[in-house]
Structures are given as C-alpha cells and as structure tokens.
Amino acid sequence: METPGRIKIIELFKSATGVVVTVKGWVRSKRGNKQIAFIALNDGSTIHNIQVVVDLNKIPEEQLKTVTTGACLRVTGTLVESLGSGQPVEIQAGEIEVYGTADADTYPLQKKGHTLEFLRDVAHLRPRTNTFGAILRIRHAMAFAIHHYFNEQGFYYIHTPLITASDAEGAGAMFHVTTLDINHPPKNEQGAIDYTQDFFGRETSLTVSGQLEGELCAMALGQIYTFGPTFRAENSNTPRHLAEFWMIEPEMAFYNISDNMDLAEDFIKYLVRYALEHCADDLKFLNDMYDKELLERLQGVCNTGFERLSYTEGVDILLKSGQKFEFPVSWGVDLQSEHERYLVEKHFKRPVILTDYPKQIKAFYMKQNDDGKTVRAMDVLFPKIGEIIGGSQREEDYNKLLARINEDKMEIDSLWWYLDTRRFGSAEHSGFGLGFERLLLFVTGMTNIRDVIPFPRTPKNASF
Ligand code: 4AD
Ligand code: MG
C-alpha cells in the first residue's frame, strides 16, 4: 500500500471518503473480538478520536499485541463512512506501525476517569487526556485572540524584563535572583549581604508585573500591552493563586478610569466570544463532563453589561446583606473572594467592576482621589472567580506620586526612572492587568488554577 503523508485527525472529519490516508497519534482505547478490533486514536488536533477498524483476517492479532492504551502509532488505511453512530468517518486499517509502546502494567493513564487531583501528580502525561487536550487548545486560542484583539486596536506588544530591581506592586513577595553563593554571601561593613558583588551589582528579583516599564512605553507609543510570565512568592495555597502565572497588561496614554473600564469590558467579552466561536467542541466537552452551566455562563457574560460601582457602595451592600462571611467586612478591608463572589453571583448576578478603593490596600502608583482616602482603582469581579482584572488610572502628578512613595517607605533609588515619566511630558493614563489563568478558569469552567496551566508552580511544587 502506498503511504501518503500524515494528515491531522481534525482534517479527516472534513475529508472526502474512499481515499487512503495516514494518521499518527496515541491510542486512547482498544476493544473488539476475534474478527475485528477497534482502536480509538487521538493526535491532539481535536477532542475527537478517529476510530481505526482492524480486520483481523488482514492484520494478524499478534501484530496488535503492542497496540495498547498510550502507545504511539502510524495507521495507513482507507477513510470510509462509519457504520457506527459514534463518528462520521473511520479508517479501515491497511498498515499499522507502532512507533512507541506503552506498557499496560505501568502506563499511568491506562484507565479512563481519573480525578483532576490524580492527574496533577502525572502532569507530565496529562496533556494526553481529553480534558487537558481541550484546556491546552483553549489556552492557545485565548493567547492568540489576545494578540489579535490588541493588534486590531492599534496596541503595540512590549516585552518587559523578567528580572527587575523594583517592586511594582509594593507587596514584597518576590523571588530573589542572585548568583551569590547563598551559603557564603559576601557581607558589607554593616554585616548585610553585599549585593554590589552580585551579578547585576544590586539586589534583583523576578518581576511581579510589567506595568511600570509598560507605562514608560505607553507614554511614548500611546497604547501598548505586555503578555508575559509574572512571579509572586506569596504563600497563597489557594485554587486561584500561582507562584508563576501569565498576565496581560495593557497601558494607555490619555485614558481615564472610565475609558479603562470600557476597554476591560470590551476586551474580556471579545475573548469569551472568541472562545465560543473557535473552541466549540472543546467547550462542549468541558460543559458535558464538568460543568453543565459553563456554556450558559459564557453566553451570559457576552450579553450583559458589567455593573459599575464604588468599593464604598460595594461594602455597604455586603454590610446590609445579612450574609455571614468567614472574613468580616468593614470599610477599609481588602475584599476576599467570598465577598467579591457575593456581589457578583448573589447580588447583581453579573460581572461587577468596583472602583475607588481605600488607598491603604492599593499600590502606590494609583491616582489619588480628592477625598484623600481613596484611589482610582478598578477591579473586575467575575462569577466563580472573584477578581479577574486589577487596574487603575495612574497618578500622573510628580509631587503626589513622590509623596505616596515616601509614605509607603518605598526605595526611591529603584524607582527614579519611573518618576521621570512624571517629570517629562506627563499626562493622564490608565491600564490594567488580566490574570491569564484566571481568565482560563472562567472560560474552561475548571475550579483549580493548577488545571489551566501545563506545569503549575505553587508553594512546595515545581516538580515537572
Ligand atoms: O491586581 P494585580 O496584582 O495588579 C497588577 O499586578 C497591576 N500591575 C496590573 C496593572 O494595572 N497593569 O494583578 C492583576 C491580575 C489579578 O486581577 C489576577 O487576575 C492576576 O493578575 N493575579 C494572579 N493570578 C494567578 N496567581 C496569582 N498569584 C495572581 N496574582 C494576581
Ligand atoms: Mg489585584
């Protein structure tokens, strides 16, 4: 039999029948009897498997011994309409070549129906499951859509550094980057570690945000966005926190807080609509298997306006709700996800944008309101997730910004360059950060952030 070049399984479902095709992929299951065997093969191009039908009079059963779940195969055969109800087409096998076997006694994904917890322990193999295939394809589609959206809107993609000497969020939970010998670091006269002898000649860390550098570029190019890995060393072992996550940070000159909210709402609706249009098969699978309201929730977000109100109004609603929260609410506290979700899921039943937070709980760069108590922050809160976006209008006034930096006792000598944007050609500007994995939690309906990134980094976990 002549061996045509490989065709992807997703293409087979659109191809004419009666032709000889070659597919390559991994066995999901094999069943059958003495006359006939059925192999379900998947190559990652779609959630759907292709059924390979093997006539055991033509291909001896002996040859199929190593065709077990997890094995990698080439199959060449004729594409025909399927008689079974499960699939439109199938392949009548002419030739089967086993590229790599997968021992049935030791292959961890031998059986179906593993829990998500179990799959986290075999994160090196979980891309082979239907669930992770679907999630990873959706993750790709969302990354692509993000670039597409900003490109269409005239934003420039800026690569901000991962190694930094400044703490953008002022939260102090950063991973150090050093080449010093941690057992014998050089000391200065005061007995502290002498970072002048370190690789960069100063203390450096992995970035918690690309925003500050993003602002520099926005104040030159107009509208920019960053999309890169972000690192936080906070010991938050929750289903919504990663130590290494990806963040999208648009930054826009001449935008005020209300322009910023309009962009955030339009952006996120575009992404959800894109997923509904381009990831229909994978979303249907996740809807059927994990969360029967997923598709409805996604449609809902596309079709409703986001509720906009101030933090103060939000806190009032929570105080009057009569609801018992694990963490009590009062004006000035940082809202917990239980509070955010109450507002979104119970009170407004739609996404909510809260603005004008108390300045003590927000970062130094946010524009200070005239009341002296609040800053022009905005958090976008989503059903099931809580905070999905955090952003603000930026303080463009040099003196006010400097005063706040001093108030927060931040190190000026690592921020002088940032202050320069307010010395030279300052203007109103705004931006926000969307947590990529939080977006994916929403779009896939998964409930643990470890399940929407291929190799999660969380406290005590960096194995794979
Ligand atoms: O609210 P955050 O901390 O805001 C910033 O970093 C700003 N510099 C953004 C800006 O204005 N350019 O983080 C933004 C978003 C959060 O809303 C959340 O979605 C996500 O990043 N995020 C995390 N995602 C996963 N794991 C973590 N540990 C996260 N911390 C924040
Ligand atoms: Mg935040």
Side-chain angles (χ1 to χ4, degrees), residues 169 209 211 232 242 245 247 249 387-390 394 433 435:
E169 295 303 304
S209 161
Q211 177 194 323
R232 301 209 178 166
L242 290 165
F245 63 100
M247 184 153 57
E249 296 185 277
E387 179 190 337
I388 195 165
I389 281 179
R394 315 308 189 190

Side-chain angles (χ1 to χ4, degrees), residues 59-78:
I59 296 181
E61 203 177 350
E62 184 60 27
Q63 226 188 301
L64 291 189
K65 279 248 158 63
T66 54
V67 178
T68 55
T69 301
C72 187
L73 315 181
R74 170 180 68 85
V75 175
T76 300
T78 310

Side-chain angles (χ1 to χ4, degrees), residues 45-82:
S45 62
T46 159
I47 188 91
H48 303 296
N49 302 326
I50 185 79
Q51 171 156 283
V52 178
V53 184
V54 189
D55 181 345
L56 297 178
N57 297 314
K58 291 190 191 145
I59 296 181
E61 203 177 350
E62 184 60 27
Q63 226 188 301
L64 291 189
K65 279 248 158 63
T66 54
V67 178
T68 55
T69 301
C72 187
L73 315 181
R74 170 180 68 85
V75 175
T76 300
T78 310
L79 187 69
V80 296
E81 264 175 56
S82 178

Side-chain angles (χ1 to χ4, degrees), residues 362 379 387 390:
K362 289 292 181 190
D379 277 9
E387 179 190 337

